[in-house]
Amino acid sequence: NKGADAIEALKNGKIDAVIIDNEPAKVFVSKNDDLKILDDPFVTENYAIAMNLESTELQQKVNTALAELKADGTIDGILKHWIGDDKDEVSYTSPEGVSRDNGVLKMATNAEFPPYELKKEGKIVGIDPDIMQAVADKLGMTLEIEDIAFDSLIPELQSKKADVVAAGMTVTEDRQKNVLFSDPYATGVQVIIVRSK
């Protein structure tokens, strides 16, 4: 369920390798000098926002918002705050005067996947919360975020307890049988972490 648990299992010799997104991998390895990332990437995959299979109207709205946020540079700006040598981990700020007349957008995530989502000073922050806040701004909605176990995210959508899942979630054929996905908003590179000693 958690990258941190997998890293502990690796450090304790219970497993031989961890496959995880490059950005969280860099965070874990920077904190553990007995681990290293292998040079060759494992696979490249797309991250997208998941929704209930019946939420075709919301999917269209989210895709329109994502297209606008890509075109105006907002998504690139968010990514630069959280990834790269010049990252500052400063969260996205909504523009002044955004209407919230269209209700609440409930987002479920698992805040164990930095820099996509993590807890900082008791608040869930990162790439996904920032992108979803920007999407909510475009949709005129108030964003509410719930932190739950990763394995519970799709059931949360299926039971309609959440409107969207943004959790560094990879688009796969299996998942597409259970949820709708937005257009991709980021590309994740999966890498392999092993013990270095």
Side-chain angles (χ1 to χ4, degrees), residues 26 40 55-56 69 128 147 149 163 167-168 183 196:
K26 288 192 272 190
D40 293 330
S55 299
T56 52
L69 294 165
D128 288 330
D147 179 28
D163 301 310
D183 295 332
S196 57

Side-chain angles (χ1 to χ4, degrees), residues 12-167:
N12 294 329
K14 293 179 180 175
I15 58 175
D16 296 316
V18 172
I19 299 172
I20 194 167
D21 181 275
N22 189 45
E23 296 307 319
K26 288 192 272 190
V27 172
F28 289 130
V29 169
S30 72
K31 295 176 180 177
N32 296 280
D33 59 5
D34 55 340
L35 301 178
K36 68 177 181 180
I37 299 171
L38 296 183
D39 291 336
D40 293 330
F42 181 69
V43 70
T44 301
E45 46 193 26
N46 289 319
Y47 292 153
I49 299 158
M51 290 153 269
N52 184 290
L53 283 172
E54 298 172 7
S55 299
T56 52
E57 186 179 335
L58 178 61
Q59 180 191 38
Q60 290 173 341
K61 289 178 181 178
V62 168
N63 283 339
T64 299
L66 286 173
E68 291 173 6
L69 294 165
K70 285 178 185 175
D72 70 15
T74 300
I75 289 179
D76 281 344
I78 289 169
L79 294 172
K80 285 177 185 170
H81 279 291
W82 293 99
I83 297 174
D85 294 336
D86 297 328
K87 67 180 179 185
D88 56 16
E89 297 189 354
V90 171
S91 292
Y92 163 87
T93 304
S94 298
E96 292 287 323
V98 172
S99 165
R100 306 277 177 213
D101 294 343
N102 294 326
V104 173
L105 184 65
K106 293 180 181 176
M107 168 187 157
T109 193
N110 178 239
E112 302 283 344
F113 195 59
Y116 287 91
E117 41 270 322
L118 61 146
K119 285 185 182 163
K120 197 173 177 183
E121 298 172 8
K123 187 177 178 193
I124 299 169
V125 298
I127 293 168
D128 288 330
D130 281 2
I131 288 174
M132 285 312 306
Q133 183 59 62
V135 167
D137 291 347
K138 289 280 185 188
L139 301 182
M141 301 180 82
T142 300
L143 181 67
E144 289 181 1
I145 303 174
E146 180 184 14
D147 179 28
I148 61 175
F150 192 85
D151 288 349
S152 300
L153 292 173
I154 288 177
E156 194 85 350
L157 285 177
Q158 292 172 323
S159 65
K160 299 184 179 180
K161 292 179 184 172
D163 301 310
V164 297
V165 163

